[in-house]
Amino acid sequence: MKKTLLFLALAAVTGLAGCDDDSTALPNGSGQTIETTEEGSSTFVLQGYENAADGYNTLKIDGLDDVLYLKDKQLAGSAYNFADGTAGRLDQMNTRPADNAWQPTTAIAAGQNYWARHRGLSAYTYIKLRVAYIEGNNVGLEYAIDGSENFDLNENTNANTSADADRQRFVTDYSIPAMNQNNYYVEHTVTMDNETILNYALEWDNTMRHAAWVAFSFDATTSPKNFNRPDEDPWDVDPLLPSDMQTSNDQHRMDGFDRGHLCASNDRVYVKEANDQTFYYSNISPQLNDFNTGFWAALEDRIQRWARSGNGTSVIPNENYDKLYVAKGGTLNELLTNFTGSKADSNGIYPSTDGNGFTKNGVACPKYYFMAILSEKGDNYHAIGFLVEHSETLPDDPSADDIKACAMSIDELEERTGLDFFCNLPDLIENTVEASFSLNDWTW
């Protein structure tokens, strides 16, 4: 689920004093006081209204794990939504907003009241907020908790839905990001033991002539390495794309770039048909040779080892994972612009892009490549994201520490890519696993 990340590194939170008096002076140097209008309410001065560089802090309400803060003269918070409230005293705010009234942020004004709704592990907590004053960089707040409400642990507000059950059979698989209706969705499948399984899916952005992402999983069926990449690569157009969207070798020849797989050939080696499908041009991205064969290949190998280690080549290791869900791609929201490489290909052609980030053959060239990984072991889930710069200067043989330096939470990866990963997880699980990551959850 999409979430707003912290604007800046969080500063230390000043003391949160309960206020039973009619008004409380706060040590902000302004001489302003904040009147309390509800018994048991608290007061706080948020900083960062005009310029975070002039002072910035966050408000952590007692009993809640997440913070409120100011961003672009708005209230924001990674686990919060907001709605307008009735002006006046807090003790006169008695009606909570409707479900469709909540927004990720809200612009604030002096003398106005607001509702905040915090999403915890199993319940919403409601907070009433009154903006007592705005003075320069400071916003004086009075706030009070207005109770909590349990929610359905299986709730999933951002899950994919299918309008075409035949063509979109696997859209609710955990590997599939939230679908963009402006793109064209494709599922490549294989049949094994009379059962149709998802080999990999992609979403095609025809304006970029490039996939927005590819998605697949490693499990007991799809992780074995039963087939080696053929001596003669079976390049082909994607037969499931409409003819006016198909790309071919014409878009990937004589441009100085490698024909870089998104879903790697070595990701799908459990059966020949599955491997052949990775050579569709819809799965190809223009990649610098040093990147494709160096750092990116090493990261791909790391994830493949997670999928295939511990129990031969037959199954994901029982002690760590039952299944790995993977979404991969290049950043179509951030392209490699006005670039000329320093190394020519075997034809003597230097890779280059124009001012819009397209190759000489009209294909978008990402500035970064990403992976979003979700592990499943029984009812336990862990997630980690990677964002790697598309560069000639990365280590050819990166160490584990080099790869770890590219790791981030799924929340941060979503912010950087504009995508919504693992949207089909129940919200409770999704919110938890995407908020942070631990390198110790993974074998290096």
Side-chain angles (χ1 to χ4, degrees):
M1 182 176 294
K2 296 306 297 297
K3 308 169 185 77
T4 303
L5 299 175
L6 292 182
F7 179 48
L8 294 171
L10 302 183
V13 178
T14 57
L16 308 182
C19 302
D20 294 324
D21 300 331
D22 289 338
S23 63
T24 300
L26 295 174
N28 54 46
S30 67
Q32 291 273 17
T33 60
I34 302 175
E35 178 187 7
T36 57
T37 61
E38 178 166 317
E39 183 177 357
S41 68
S42 299
T43 58
F44 190 75
V45 177
L46 271 179
Q47 295 181 315
Y49 180 75
E50 290 187 338
N51 188 347
D54 294 336
Y56 177 79
N57 65 1
T58 63
L59 167 59
K60 186 174 184 296
I61 296 172
D62 288 341
L64 303 181
D65 294 331
D66 304 286
V67 297
L68 289 168
Y69 54 93
L70 294 172
K71 179 181 178 181
D72 299 328
K73 299 186 177 180
Q74 297 180 321
L75 285 170
S78 61
Y80 288 89
N81 283 322
F82 303 90
D84 292 340
T86 56
R89 297 174 58 89
L90 287 188
D91 57 17
Q92 294 175 347
M93 288 177 62
N94 299 317
T95 303
R96 292 174 185 169
D99 286 341
N100 62 1
W102 299 97
Q103 300 295 327
T105 60
T106 185
I108 58 174
Q112 296 299 309
N113 293 356
Y114 305 89
W115 287 92
R117 185 175 71 177
H118 173 268
R119 186 184 181 94
L121 289 178
S122 61
Y124 290 121
T125 299
Y126 294 90
I127 302 103
K128 298 186 287 188
L129 298 147
R130 185 176 67 86
V131 179
Y133 65 84
I134 299 175
E135 184 181 80
N137 214 34
N138 297 328
V139 176
L141 292 178
E142 178 194 10
Y143 65 93
I145 291 178
D146 190 60
S148 61
E149 178 180 64
N150 291 332
F151 51 76
D152 182 359
L153 298 184
N154 294 315
E155 179 183 5
N156 194 342
T157 57
N158 64 328
N160 287 326
T161 58
S162 175
D164 186 339
D166 293 329
R167 194 172 66 82
Q168 300 177 344
R169 181 173 177 177
F170 296 97
V171 293
T172 58
D173 186 86
Y174 287 165
S175 67
I176 307 297
M179 295 169 63
N180 182 341
Q181 299 305 315
N182 294 320
N183 295 335
Y184 192 85
Y185 175 76
V186 171
E187 292 177 350
H188 291 294
T189 62
V190 296
T191 301
M192 299 185 67
D193 299 326
N194 296 317
E195 180 183 359
T196 300
I197 64 173
L198 177 65
N199 187 34
Y200 73 95
L202 65 89
E203 194 174 74
W204 183 253
D205 186 334
N206 201 43
T207 64
M208 298 289 182
R209 310 298 284 170
H210 193 290
W213 48 259
V214 300
F216 55 93
S217 64
F218 291 105
D219 58 18
T221 299
T222 60
S223 66
K225 190 169 184 178
N226 299 328
F227 177 81
N228 291 322
R229 181 168 176 165
D231 293 334
E232 189 72 26
D233 290 338
W235 300 105
D236 204 352
V237 298
D238 189 333
L240 298 186
L241 277 180
S243 59
D244 63 339
M245 294 186 183
Q246 289 176 345
T247 56
S248 68
N249 194 48
D250 289 343
Q251 284 74 50
H252 292 279
R253 64 185 298 273
M254 305 298 285
D255 62 3
F257 291 94
D258 282 3
R259 292 176 292 190
H261 282 65
L262 295 177
C263 177
S265 170
N266 204 34
D267 287 333
R268 307 281 83 177
V269 286
Y270 58 97
V271 67
K272 181 179 184 301
E273 181 185 4
N275 186 263
D276 285 351
Q277 290 174 358
T278 68
F279 288 88
Y280 293 149
Y281 285 104
S282 59
N283 183 47
I284 301 306
S285 181
Q287 291 185 341
L288 296 165
N289 176 260
D290 284 354
F291 176 87
N292 181 34
T293 61
F295 198 105
W296 187 246
L299 178 55
E300 289 179 322
D301 179 70
R302 178 70 56 175
I303 279 70
Q304 291 158 5
R305 279 191 278 167
W306 289 347
R308 297 179 179 129
S309 62
N311 199 6
T313 61
S314 61
V315 68
I316 287 174
N318 293 333
E319 68 273 18
N320 291 323
Y321 327 112
D322 293 332
K323 196 166 184 175
L324 284 181
Y325 301 92
V326 181
K328 300 167 65 176
T331 55
L332 298 190
N333 64 331
E334 197 166 359
L335 301 181
L336 188 65
T337 59
N338 293 315
F339 172 81
T340 300
S342 63
K343 301 177 183 179
D345 67 7
S346 59
N347 296 307
I349 299 173
Y350 288 86
S352 64
T353 63
D354 63 20
N356 294 317
F358 286 76
T359 68
K360 61 182 293 186
N361 295 322
V363 177
C365 185
K367 185 175 182 179
Y368 299 91
Y369 286 85
F370 62 84
M371 293 192 195
I373 314 296
L374 174 73
S375 71
E376 176 183 274
K377 177 66 175 175
D379 293 330
N380 295 317
Y381 297 86
H382 299 288
I384 190 170
F386 296 93
L387 189 70
V388 184
E389 185 178 4
H390 190 195
S391 170
E392 296 175 319
T393 62
L394 297 174
D396 289 335
D397 185 19
S399 66
D401 286 341
D402 291 328
I403 293 174
K404 290 176 184 178
C406 299
M408 60 183 58
S409 71
I410 300 300
D411 275 353
E412 185 175 358
L413 188 63
E414 289 179 334
E415 185 79 6
R416 294 294 303 272
T417 62
L419 300 172
D420 183 1
F421 301 107
F422 311 130
C423 66
N424 294 312
L425 281 171
D427 289 347
L428 172 63
I429 299 172
E430 184 184 359
N431 290 341
T432 301
V433 301
E434 292 188 354
S436 61
F437 73 99
S438 172
L439 295 173
N440 294 328
D441 292 333
W442 310 90
T443 55
W444 300 95

